[in-house]
Each structure stands twice: as C-alpha cells, then as structure tokens.
Amino acid sequence: MASTIYAQLTNSLSSPPSRKLSSLSWRTMFDASTLSPPNFPISTTKVGKNCSVPKVVCSAQAAPAAVNLAPGTPVRSTSILVVGATGTLGRQVVRRALDEGYDVRCLVRPRPAPADFLRDWGATVVNADLSKPETIPATLIGIHTVIDCATGRPEEPIKTVDWEGKVALIQCAKAMGIQKFIFFSIHNCDKHPEVPLMEIKHCTEKFLRDSGLNHIVIRLCGFMQGLIGQYAVPILEEKSVWGTDAPTRIAYMDTQDIARLTFIALRNENINGKLLTFAGPRAWTTQEVITLCERLAGQDANVTTVPVSVLRLTRQLTRLFEWTNDVADRLAFSEVLTSDTVFSVPMTETYSLLGVDAKDVSSLEKYLQDYFTNILKKLKDLKAQSKQTDIFF
C-alpha cells in the first residue's frame, strides 16, 4: 500500500504539468503558473504576510487499483522519522529515541561531510531535501511518526525550508498516511507577525492543524546548549562576548530534557492535537547569563554591548536591497528584543499532564556549572600533562 502511494506521489512530483494524473488528488507546487489550469485549477490563500498556501483542486478520479488494494503490512508504532536530525535539538531527539528502543530514520540533506555519528549511534540515515519535494515521499515509507526539528540554514531564505519545505513535508505525510506528526515551534510566535520566522512558524502550526493529521505542536523558548558557544567559550578564551541591552527574558531549557518530554508526550494519547510549550525553570536576561558564566569561569567577560537600536537600523538598511532581504528577516528578532517579551510559561500544568517531576528538569545554573566544572578539569589535566612532558637541558 505504501509503495503504491509512494509511486503515485513520485510520479506527480516528477511529471510535466500537462500530464493527467488519474490516480492522485494531491500535489505540492508553489508556483501556480507552472501547473496546467485544465488539470489543476489553483487559487492561493494568504495565511499571513509571509505565508501563502496553494489550494489545488483536481477533478481526476482515483484509479480502481488504488481503491481495491488489500491492506498492507501495518507499520510499527516505534518507527519514527526525525527531520533535522543533525541540529542541536534533532541529535538529542535521535539519541533519546534510540535509547528508548525506537527504530530511528533520519532525514538528512546530502552533504560533503556525512552524518556518520547518527549511523554510529544506530540510526538509519536517508538523504532528502525539504526544498525538493520529490525527495520526501521515499523517506516516509514504513514510518509511523514524524518528528520535525528542522529549520533553514542561515545562508538560505527562511521561506525555502521553514515554510515551503514544511508545507511539502506535511502534505507528503498526509498522503502517505503518517499516524502522528510532532512539530517544534517558537513560543509567542503568534504574537510577532512582524518577525518572518515567527509568523511562518505560526502559519505552519495552522497548516498542520488544518491538514487533519494527528499531531502535537511543541513551542520552545530557548536552548541551553546555544549559550555555550555564545557566552561560555568566549569567556574561557578571553574573547569578546556579544550581548544587547534588551530586557527580554528567556527560560532556556536543556535539549536533553526537551527530547525526554517529547517522547513522554508522544506516548500519551490524551495529548494528541494539543499545543504545548516547554520552558526552563527560570527566565534569564542576557546580562544575567553573562554574570553567571563569569562567576562559574572565575574570570570577567570582555562584553561588547550592541544597542537594540543599532540592530533595528541595520535591519532597515538591509531592507533596501533585494540581496540582503534574508539578513533583514533574521534581524527582525530585534523587534522582539525591544518588546520586553518574556519567553517563559508556568510549567506546573504541563508537568502534571506529562506526569513529570519539576525536579527532574535541569536548571541553567546546574547545566552551566556541570559544563564549567568538566571543561576546567580538562584544562587543568592538559596543563599538568604538558608540564610532565617538558624537557630541560
């Protein structure tokens, strides 16, 4: 059954627009001008300022063979596909899934340096690209649950992966009969339509909900892991630490905790169709994080403060040129930084729903303390070894 659907999907994505498809009523295309009007009448519905969804209407009838097929082998509920498996969150989701006995398949874009660590862990790696919809269906054969951790690379337009790619993925999942879809979004994304990525996340939430797929949306506030490269390492290396004068507070969470809670939610049928928000125990400003790192490192940081007003001006300037529009979209977060937003929510109800003890969720103090303790011990050991190998004449 899955192979038949896959063949239909692949044909529809690779066939010229003028070809009649007698067995398929679904198609992923983003340029209405490329489709033949007699076969695929299209109207584009505006979901948001940065998001528009193609509505495809096909009058073709389903082929009898597709209707009369006997049921195929049911997929195992432990079979999952992780999209964005090499990212900060994705790799923790893969690691957790393998530890809990899931059969993990990872969708990874073709790259010069293969993601060998995923294979070493025991996952299966398949090459596909969300920006190329025709590569997606094959990755979904035999899959029960899709966990979407992907986001676009800094050098590519936000819409390419985070909107058009996600629409294609959701449509493929629907057509292939995926049983559950987990999507990671951003906290407060519905409150900041001026920020392209946040509006796109909100639009994707709505698109997923309207698709009819059995799904869970999980909004996130921030990753503790991101603070290591941003603050901890520069302080240890006595390099400049970049920060802003913004009052925004973020409740960072360890991605290992996010992965653990995600699988608890996945197994809880009462959470299907719900919107959850995961937040750490406390919300921190940039300056508070830097001060904590200074204390744990035992040395002062060389802080370079960038006023939010400068970020906003830079965004306005980059908007003047088409080739810098993507930079401007990413700088749009400066609008959030000036809004005195708190990226945090009370977690009591969520912990109760998931059956989780709040004490089992890492605090930022504990996470950074463990990091600095380990790294300083390694530096001390390296220094001791260096002295032992010194040769004096």
Side-chain angles (χ1 to χ4, degrees):
M1 180 66 173
S3 60
T4 303
I5 297 175
Y6 162 64
Q8 294 172 344
L9 286 173
T10 304
N11 289 337
S12 73
L13 291 166
S14 60
S15 302
S18 59
R19 177 181 173 182
K20 285 190 177 182
L21 301 176
S22 61
S23 60
L24 188 64
S25 60
W26 172 87
R27 186 180 178 94
T28 297
M29 295 295 280
F30 301 100
D31 182 3
S33 64
T34 64
L35 296 178
S36 174
N39 295 330
F40 295 95
I42 273 192
S43 63
T44 302
T45 300
K46 198 75 170 178
V47 177
K49 183 172 64 174
N50 298 289
C51 323
S52 56
V53 182
K55 300 292 185 181
V56 182
V57 180
C58 179
S59 58
Q61 299 297 316
V67 175
N68 297 326
L69 284 176
T73 303
V75 298
R76 295 187 301 272
S77 60
T78 55
S79 176
I80 67 172
L81 174 72
V82 179
V83 185
T86 59
T88 303
L89 175 59
R91 63 182 62 200
Q92 296 298 343
V93 169
V94 172
R95 181 74 269 173
R96 187 74 194 188
L98 291 169
D99 288 346
E100 295 193 8
Y102 286 87
D103 300 316
V104 183
R105 185 182 302 170
C106 302
L107 188 158
V108 176
R109 283 197 253 191
R111 51 198 290 173
D116 289 337
F117 71 94
L118 296 173
R119 297 187 183 92
D120 293 341
W121 288 353
T124 300
V125 176
V126 292
N127 285 334
D129 192 334
L130 295 186
S131 65
K132 299 176 180 178
E134 68 276 8
T135 67
I136 299 174
T139 69
L140 296 171
I141 295 177
I143 293 296
H144 180 278
T145 299
V146 172
I147 302 180
D148 176 18
C149 313
T151 192
R153 296 168 178 165
E155 67 272 13
E156 62 189 356
I158 289 175
K159 288 179 65 176
T160 302
V161 169
D162 287 287
W163 176 240
E164 296 174 353
K166 298 305 179 74
V167 167
L169 177 62
I170 292 168
Q171 289 177 324
C172 280
K174 176 67 174 179
M176 295 287 286
I178 296 301
Q179 299 297 301
K180 188 171 290 188
F181 195 108
I182 295 180
F183 173 65
F184 289 105
S185 187
I186 302 175
H187 179 47
N188 284 333
C189 63
D190 53 328
K191 298 178 181 178
H192 294 280
E194 75 280 7
V195 179
L197 179 59
M198 297 185 79
E199 188 196 22
I200 284 173
K201 288 290 187 182
H202 187 220
C203 291
T204 307
E205 290 178 3
K206 294 191 290 184
F207 188 80
L208 177 58
R209 183 178 64 245
D210 294 342
S211 72
L213 278 170
N214 189 12
H215 70 279
I216 301 172
V217 172
I218 301 175
R219 291 183 178 180
L220 305 174
C221 297
F223 301 155
M224 291 181 185
Q225 278 73 6
L227 302 177
I228 300 301
Q230 191 171 1
Y231 302 117
V233 172
I235 290 175
L236 288 172
E237 295 181 348
E238 299 182 354
K239 295 181 179 180
S240 292
V241 175
W242 297 87
T244 70
D245 56 357
T248 306
R249 308 181 72 87
I250 301 174
Y252 299 99
M253 197 171 192
D254 189 343
T255 53
Q256 293 186 33
D257 285 330
I258 294 173
R260 180 170 62 89
L261 298 185
T262 296
F263 281 97
I264 293 174
L266 171 62
R267 292 188 291 269
N268 189 334
E269 294 299 324
N270 294 326
I271 298 178
N272 291 339
K274 290 188 179 295
L275 169 63
L276 303 177
T277 299
F278 290 171
R282 174 189 162 186
W284 299 72
T285 65
T286 296
Q287 187 53 55
E288 288 172 340
V289 174
I290 293 174
T291 300
L292 176 61
C293 289
E294 287 177 321
R295 177 169 61 83
L296 294 173
Q299 61 190 70
D300 294 334
N302 180 19
V303 182
T304 301
T305 301
V306 180
V308 174
S309 58
V310 173
L311 295 178
R312 299 187 70 178
L313 177 60
T314 304
R315 185 194 178 200
Q316 292 173 3
L317 292 174
T318 53
R319 276 289 182 212
L320 298 176
F321 308 97
E322 183 177 354
W323 53 276
T324 55
N325 269 342
D326 295 328
V327 177
D329 286 344
R330 297 184 187 279
L331 285 172
F333 277 103
S334 63
E335 303 293 338
V336 180
L337 295 177
T338 58
S339 63
D340 197 18
T341 300
V342 177
F343 283 86
S344 181
V345 293
M347 289 287 289
T348 305
E349 184 177 343
T350 301
Y351 289 150
S352 176
L353 184 64
L354 297 176
V356 173
D357 190 333
K359 296 178 181 178
D360 295 333
V361 176
S362 299
S363 66
L364 183 60
E365 296 99 324
K366 180 66 165 58
Y367 175 81
L368 288 177
Q369 184 178 34
D370 289 346
Y371 172 79
F372 279 105
T373 298
N374 291 332
I375 200 70
L376 291 175
K377 183 179 183 300
K378 289 180 180 179
L379 290 173
K380 184 178 180 180
D381 292 343
L382 287 173
K383 187 176 181 180
Q385 291 174 13
S386 176
K387 287 183 177 180
Q388 291 173 5
T389 57
D390 286 343
I391 300 177
F392 299 95
F393 296 94

